[in-house]
Amino acid sequence: MNRRQKTSLIIAAIIAGILIFLRSGVGVYINAIWFSKLGYLSVYTKSLTAKWAFFLGGFLVSALFLYINGWFALRAAPQRIVLTLDDVSISIPKLIKLQKALVALAAFFVGLIFAGAISTRWLQILAFFERQPFGATDPVFGKDIGFYVFSLPVYVLGTTWLMWLFILAFGLSAVIYFLGGSFLSRLKELRAVAKAHLSILAALTLLVLAGRFWLERFQLLYSRTGAVFGAGYADIHAKLPAYWIMVIATLVIVVGILLAITRRGWKIVVAGTALFVLMLVLAVGIYPSLVQKLVVEPNELEKEKPYIAHNIRLTRLAYGLESVEEKGFDPSGSITYNDLLKYQSTVRNMRLWDWRPLHATYSQLQEIRLYYDFHDVDVDRYMFGNDYRQVMLSARELNYDQIPAQARTWVNLHLKYTHGYGVVMNPVNLVTEEGLPYFFIKDIPPVVTVDIELDQPAIYYGEETTEYALVKTATEEFDYPVGERNKFTTYTGSGGVKIGSLLRRLAFAYEFGSAKLILTSYITGDSRIMYHRTISERIRTVAPFLLYENDPYVVIVNGRLFWIEDGYTTSNTFPYSEPYQNKFNYIRNSVKVVVDAYNGDVSFYIADPKDPIIRAYAAIFPKLFKPLSELPDEFKRHLRYPVGLFSVQTSMYATYHMRDPQTFYNREDVWQIPREVYAGAEQPMEPYYVLMQLPGESEGEYILMLPFTPKEKDNMIAWIAARCDPPNYGQMFAYMLPKQRLVYGPRQIEARIDQDPDISRLLTLWSQRGSQVIRGNLLAIPIDSVLLYVEPVYLRAENGQLPELKRVIVAYKNRIVMRETLDLALQDAIGTTEVAAQPPREVGEAAPSGAVIAPQGTAELAAEAMQYYEEAMRRLRNGDWAGYGEQLEKLRAVLEELVKQTRSE
């Protein structure tokens, strides 16, 4: 390589270094001002400092250790390198310098690899220094669980790093000695130096290996070889002594290797190595396997019983199942229609709207413009005066993908279309005469018909805000459509970071790859740029070490919109705890996150201060987390037990409700999540929120619940509920049903619905007339000492996207009925002539399906019957078979009520 080539190479390296520095430097700058705006700069600087500190520390130690060993080997090897080319020996002294360069290069790249591996575990190392006790110990070694969660992973990391470092140093030195001819040298001193050097490295490697054997004793508590997860009989009685033997044997071999340094030959080293391998195979491999097959398997229950008990206890502890209070629930009682008056909070909040067809209905009725979108539909509860109601709501967000292609200019995407607008809300049980949701909040600007304020409906931060936005610019933003025209606005909040200076415009232009941020004249000294705007990205950028629900839900508080998300702490090193889907074996819902939809402010609240992991994180980042007591009461009323955690817990509880080791071993009482039918397809039943009175309670409350059935059976065996309202938030109850009597489960109810001739006839008629029948969520609703099933039925035109709620199915004891309204279905299912008084209707309510209908006289019923008959005939003449069947069903319901009243008279 000539001088010009060397110069070009150096210049290219410098340019590459500058580009890398610019890229990383701009990223650091952009993140720093973003974190600073949110008040979390210390979180960013600490995490960045820790990553770089561990990276540089790992790199320097690894690279220097390798280079020093390689350099020493080069110095100790003969100073003359000989190459053989075409049987001609050529002496090349300059290759010594090349060897040193190669050693340095190898040390450099290995150091980078080791440093990268260590820096990615920065949080684990910091948590080690801030470790917290769990207050519970493992049953084998008596160590606090915190040792396994915080300390053991770091010890394993450290020993793994040292072992590979010593092995690579040994290999590098051995290669240098071999190529340098040290092993074949006639000079005894050269051979002795090489032997001493390699022996010391081998001894260091084995010394670390002895430490790993010592740590492996604790990792037996994650064993999968026994009857359950965790150390079993063979692990404790065979592998544990074997690891002790290997620790002692390894230390003896280390001593032997060091003694062999002063002796001639390698016999002691070779013999010690052979003995070590033999003991490893016999003690750790063969002996435990023999104990498992010859001692444990013929007497497995007897031998494994205490270890099964350990697994049950610690799994229940790890998933929070020990706090589940078990109660009996016998649904063999009876109830009259008038009895429902005592349970109006339950009856008036029976959810008739499944979120999936409701999402389609929202899209058709309330998106207003093609660029608006409802990401999903949330379930929540609100207090309207003294009326506690369960509602469904969704935020109307701006979907950038739905903006027409010709309008997708840079100005429109980033300066004009900056935010969504408003929410849609409807109660879960009210339906208009057309089978559509009865809205509490609708339209743009929001039309509110209940006692709730919505003063600031703009959504700058949401689930679909994927583009960066520039606000407070020289041009106004699109606010919302008004007829054929649009209303414009200027942002007045505190969200975003200032972008007015030239330095920041250059930095953001480089970060987002757009020179328009420099060239545009719309940016002023007051302009701000909003980025990381989606809720999931925003909270993960601040705290990426938490696991999140991935389902933020919008709430209205004090006239403003906010998002609430649930955060989890997890671990996969909890001893004896059964892993969930091989992801983790410990979980807590330790954090509630609140995000302002207008300003983008993010607040993290500790929801479970007893969790040692979140306490460790709070010690690492003291300015990140706030106590839940600082969360205003208006938000606490909307906290809910998360579906994600509940799903994990119910999945584990299906097996771990059994606490007797023998029953657990025999799998005598394993449960499963029942199956239901949705839109003609069978699927696992999902947990669902309901507002109801728990057995023995006098007031309705918001709960999350799910039934259970025995494994491979369809009858209901239990149901579990988690309370969401303060001050009882987080309490869980498992209601056990009698095992000696059949209680219909969801799948059996679905089968009975399919087999009912009247129901199947009408559903078939609708399907044959070009409409799609959608059977929504089947909900099991416990009331007093009975169990009701409620399933809504929707009808959607074959080429339409507007599902309408047409019928409600109610199952009670051995009766299954399908009627036009929930009230009629309840009356017919319960089978009483007593009719309760109708509660006051909401403003603008047009005979909603969820309301309790007031009694009518005989003359009124006869007139209504004639009206349905005439309408049925009209539709028949027009060939409207679906409408004809619908009117006949209405006529039937009126005639049945007429017969009941006639008999009662």
Side-chain angles (χ1 to χ4, degrees):
M1 182 181 295
N2 56 39
R3 181 174 296 179
R4 179 176 296 179
Q5 291 174 325
K6 290 181 179 179
T7 303
S8 300
L9 184 61
I10 292 173
I11 292 174
I14 292 173
I15 293 174
I18 292 173
L19 291 176
I20 293 173
F21 176 78
L22 277 176
R23 179 60 191 162
S24 59
V26 169
V28 169
Y29 176 67
I30 295 295
N31 284 330
I33 58 177
W34 185 84
F35 274 88
S36 178
K37 174 62 180 64
L38 289 178
Y40 297 132
L41 182 60
S42 62
V43 175
Y44 181 63
T45 55
K46 186 158 191 176
S47 60
L48 189 66
T49 302
K51 291 175 186 177
W52 277 106
F54 292 134
F55 182 89
L56 292 175
F59 172 77
L60 290 174
V61 173
S62 303
L64 283 175
F65 186 81
L66 284 174
Y67 181 76
I68 289 172
N69 278 275
W71 173 83
F72 181 84
L74 286 174
R75 290 289 302 269
Q79 298 300 305
R80 187 177 180 83
I81 304 298
V82 178
L83 294 181
T84 302
L85 299 175
D86 297 330
D87 298 327
V88 178
S89 295
I90 303 175
S91 176
I92 311 177
K94 288 187 176 180
L95 283 182
I96 296 176
K97 293 183 178 180
L98 180 59
Q99 267 192 319
K100 292 181 179 179
L102 290 174
V103 167
L105 192 63
F108 177 81
F109 282 109
V110 171
L112 287 179
I113 295 172
F114 280 23
I118 293 173
S119 65
T120 58
R121 310 285 284 273
W122 64 274
L123 183 65
Q124 193 176 63
I125 299 172
L126 290 181
F128 167 77
F129 291 108
E130 300 290 351
R131 55 191 180 275
Q132 305 286 322
F134 274 69
T137 58
D138 78 88
V140 176
F141 302 103
K143 286 189 170 293
D144 187 89
I145 303 298
F147 168 79
Y148 297 91
V149 173
F150 297 112
S151 303
L152 185 58
V154 176
Y155 295 153
V156 171
L157 173 66
T159 53
T160 302
W161 169 57
L162 288 175
M163 186 179 301
W164 279 108
L165 186 61
F166 294 153
I167 289 174
L168 290 176
F170 181 92
L172 177 64
S173 301
V175 168
I176 293 174
Y177 284 128
F178 177 78
L179 294 178
S182 294
F183 298 143
L184 302 176
S185 175
R186 296 181 179 180
L187 296 176
K188 183 172 64 174
E189 293 81 2
L190 292 179
R191 295 198 305 270
V193 170
K195 180 181 178 181
H197 185 191
L198 295 178
S199 296
I200 292 173
L201 289 175
L204 289 174
T205 304
L206 290 173
L207 195 62
V208 175
L209 185 58
R212 279 304 296 268
F213 281 130
W214 185 78
L215 293 177
E216 287 295 329
R217 300 177 311 123
F218 303 108
Q219 295 200 349
L220 287 175
L221 274 58
Y222 312 134
S223 172
R224 295 176 181 268
T225 59
V228 292
F229 184 84
Y233 182 91
D235 295 311
I236 299 301
H237 292 83
K239 279 192 177 180
L240 183 58
Y243 283 134
W244 272 118
I245 292 172
M246 293 309 302
V247 169
I248 296 171
T250 306
L251 293 176
V252 170
I253 293 172
V254 168
V255 174
I257 290 175
L258 295 177
L259 291 176
I261 293 176
T262 59
R263 305 200 176 184
R264 297 183 59 184
W266 300 83
K267 292 182 180 180
I268 296 179
V269 175
V270 173
T273 303
L275 180 61
F276 173 82
V277 173
L278 179 63
M279 294 182 65
L280 182 65
V281 172
L282 291 176
V284 180
I286 296 177
Y287 176 60
S289 299
L290 290 175
V291 171
Q292 179 68 27
K293 290 194 173 294
L294 301 179
V295 178
V296 177
E297 292 183 4
N299 310 280
E300 191 169 45
L301 177 57
E302 177 190 349
K303 299 297 184 183
E304 298 284 14
K305 194 172 183 178
Y307 309 105
I308 295 174
H310 299 333
N311 172 267
I312 294 172
R313 181 178 67 84
L314 289 172
T315 298
R316 289 173 59 87
L317 176 64
Y319 292 97
L321 304 181
E322 79 288 347
S323 62
V324 177
E325 183 179 345
E326 296 181 357
K327 297 184 175 184
F329 180 76
D330 187 354
S332 61
S334 297
I335 194 171
T336 66
Y337 188 74
N338 271 347
D339 289 336
L340 294 181
L341 285 175
K342 296 183 294 184
Y343 301 95
Q344 280 298 298
S345 60
T346 300
V347 175
R348 298 185 71 236
N349 287 285
M350 287 185 178
R351 181 159 61 87
L352 303 181
W353 282 107
D354 186 306
W355 73 269
R356 288 159 291 197
L358 184 61
H359 183 265
T361 302
Y362 277 1
S363 299
Q364 292 298 309
L365 299 181
Q366 285 293 310
E367 283 186 356
I368 310 297
R369 292 291 188 271
L370 57 87
Y371 40 77
Y372 286 129
D373 186 34
F374 294 103
H375 185 76
D376 62 6
V377 179
D378 298 315
V379 185
D380 203 352
R381 73 285 197 197
Y382 285 79
M383 183 70 74
F384 303 114
N386 295 322
D387 193 11
Y388 197 32
R389 298 294 291 269
Q390 187 179 11
V391 300
M392 308 191 78
L393 72 163
S394 183
R396 186 185 293 106
E397 297 197 57
L398 192 66
N399 188 325
Y400 292 94
D401 294 332
Q402 295 178 187
I403 296 176
Q406 61 271 24
R408 293 176 59 83
T409 65
W410 183 83
V411 172
N412 278 345
L413 288 177
H414 304 291
L415 282 78
K416 289 293 185 182
Y417 293 102
T418 57
H419 59 278
Y421 202 86
V423 297
V424 175
M425 176 191 289
N426 68 283
V428 297
N429 66 320
L430 296 188
V431 186
T432 66
E433 290 181 344
E434 296 79 17
L436 300 175
Y438 176 80
F439 291 112
F440 281 174
I441 303 177
K442 63 179 180 178
D443 297 343
I444 300 176
V447 176
V448 183
T449 61
V450 288
D451 183 20
I452 191 172
E453 296 180 352
L454 183 53
D455 303 321
Q456 182 48 267
I459 303 171
Y460 284 84
Y461 300 86
E463 295 184 86
E464 298 190 5
T465 45
T466 55
E467 298 285 345
Y468 66 87
L470 293 163
V471 296
K472 294 187 178 182
T473 63
T475 182
E476 290 185 314
E477 309 161 42
F478 165 74
D479 200 19
Y480 59 84
V482 182
E484 299 298 323
R485 305 177 64 183
N486 294 326
K487 185 178 185 304
F488 292 87
T489 188
T490 297
Y491 181 72
T492 59
S494 60
V497 299
K498 289 187 176 181
I499 193 179
S501 69
L502 178 60
L503 175 62
R504 290 196 174 185
R505 292 174 71 170
L506 287 170
F508 283 108
Y510 182 81
E511 178 71 14
F512 294 115
S514 176
K516 296 181 179 66
L517 285 165
I518 304 173
L519 302 175
T520 183
S521 59
Y522 290 120
I523 295 178
T524 69
D526 295 326
S527 296
R528 293 172 175 268
I529 183 170
M530 298 176 174
Y531 51 106
H532 298 319
R533 291 205 295 150
T534 60
I535 303 304
S536 59
E537 179 190 13
R538 196 167 186 82
I539 60 180
R540 281 174 173 80
T541 302
V542 177
F545 43 83
L546 296 174
L547 184 66
Y548 294 97
E549 178 79 350
N550 289 326
D551 184 26
Y553 56 99
V554 66
V555 299
I556 306 172
V557 175
N558 298 328
R560 298 171 62 89
L561 298 177
F562 296 86
W563 298 91
I564 298 179
E565 176 67 303
D566 288 281
Y568 304 105
T569 53
T570 61
S571 174
N572 59 3
T573 58
F574 200 98
Y576 271 110
S577 175
E578 182 71 28
Y580 175 76
Q581 297 181 355
N582 290 322
K583 296 177 181 177
F584 49 77
N585 65 355
Y586 170 88
I587 184 170
R588 289 292 185 272
N589 175 213
S590 298
V591 177
K592 301 289 185 181
V593 189
V594 178
V595 182
D596 189 318
Y598 189 68
N599 290 328
D601 297 330
V602 184
S603 298
F604 293 80
Y605 296 92
I606 296 179
D608 186 0
K610 295 180 181 179
D611 174 36
I613 297 180
I614 200 62
R615 293 206 309 268
Y617 290 165
I620 296 170
F621 305 110
K623 294 186 178 180
L624 176 58
F625 299 102
K626 303 175 184 177
L628 194 63
S629 58
E630 294 186 13
L631 180 67
D633 290 340
E634 294 84 357
F635 289 95
K636 290 179 182 177
R637 298 189 189 107
H638 295 283
L639 297 182
R640 65 188 192 186
Y641 203 88
V643 171
L645 175 62
F646 190 76
S647 298
V648 171
Q649 290 178 313
T650 52
S651 176
M652 302 304 297
Y653 195 75
T655 301
Y656 283 90
H657 67 275
M658 298 181 289
R659 280 170 282 188
D660 177 65
Q662 182 167 339
T663 304
F664 187 95
Y665 176 81
N666 293 328
R667 295 296 195 265
E668 296 176 12
D669 191 24
V670 178
W671 300 344
Q672 66 183 13
I673 307 300
R675 301 184 70 82
E676 64 172 348
V677 174
Y678 174 76
E682 196 173 84
Q683 64 180 26
M685 199 170 189
E686 299 176 349
Y688 51 92
Y689 292 101
V690 290
L691 204 164
M692 59 171 280
Q693 292 170 239
L694 286 169
E697 299 292 334
S698 59
E699 299 291 334
E701 58 183 294
Y702 199 53
I703 67 168
L704 179 62
M705 67 172 291
L706 185 69
F708 285 108
T709 61
K711 189 172 180 61
E712 307 301 334
K713 301 290 183 181
D714 294 328
N715 59 290
M716 188 186 292
I717 192 68
W719 58 279
I720 190 169
R723 307 173 91 170
C724 300
D725 290 343
N728 300 316
Y729 177 91
Q731 292 181 5
M732 296 182 70
F733 300 102
Y735 292 89
M736 307 297 187
L737 276 60
K739 297 182 179 180
Q740 68 275 13
R741 186 174 63 256
L742 172 67
V743 178
Y744 288 121
R747 194 173 186 181
Q748 292 171 322
I749 295 296
E750 297 280 20
R752 293 180 61 207
I753 293 173
D754 292 334
Q755 294 165 6
D756 186 280
D758 294 333
I759 295 176
S760 61
R761 185 184 305 115
L762 183 57
L763 298 185
T764 302
L765 178 63
W766 281 341
S767 299
Q768 291 174 346
R769 289 298 166 185
S771 297
Q772 181 186 5
V773 176
I774 302 173
R775 286 161 56 177
N777 280 133
L778 177 66
L779 305 183
I781 310 292
I783 297 181
D784 195 19
S785 59
V786 302
L787 187 65
L788 297 177
Y789 282 98
V790 178
E791 181 175 86
V793 178
Y794 310 92
L795 198 62
R796 183 172 62 191
E798 185 176 4
N799 298 319
Q801 295 295 324
L802 185 62
E804 299 176 358
L805 179 60
K806 291 300 182 183
R807 293 291 185 272
V808 179
I809 300 173
V810 172
Y812 168 66
K813 293 185 178 295
N814 292 320
R815 300 196 63 189
I816 291 183
V817 298
M818 182 173 74
R819 295 293 180 266
E820 184 182 2
T821 68
L822 172 62
D823 181 76
L824 291 175
L826 287 171
Q827 290 183 47
D828 287 358
I830 292 175
T832 178
T833 59
E834 298 179 270
V835 183
Q838 177 185 2
R841 292 183 180 177
E842 306 292 344
V843 177
E845 186 174 335
S849 293
V852 183
I853 306 300
Q856 292 176 285
T858 304
E860 293 172 311
L861 288 171
E864 187 177 359
M866 179 56 69
Q867 178 183 349
Y868 286 142
Y869 172 78
E870 291 175 349
E871 180 64 16
M873 293 300 102
R874 186 185 69 80
R875 297 200 180 192
L876 179 62
R877 288 192 297 271
N878 294 334
D880 182 6
W881 290 96
Y884 173 72
E886 181 180 334
Q887 295 303 313
L888 283 184
E889 187 65 25
K890 292 180 179 179
L891 175 60
R892 175 188 174 184
V894 174
L895 290 175
E896 287 178 349
E897 181 61 28
L898 186 61
V899 170
K900 289 178 183 179
Q901 291 202 16
T902 302
R903 287 175 179 174
S904 64
E905 293 174 358

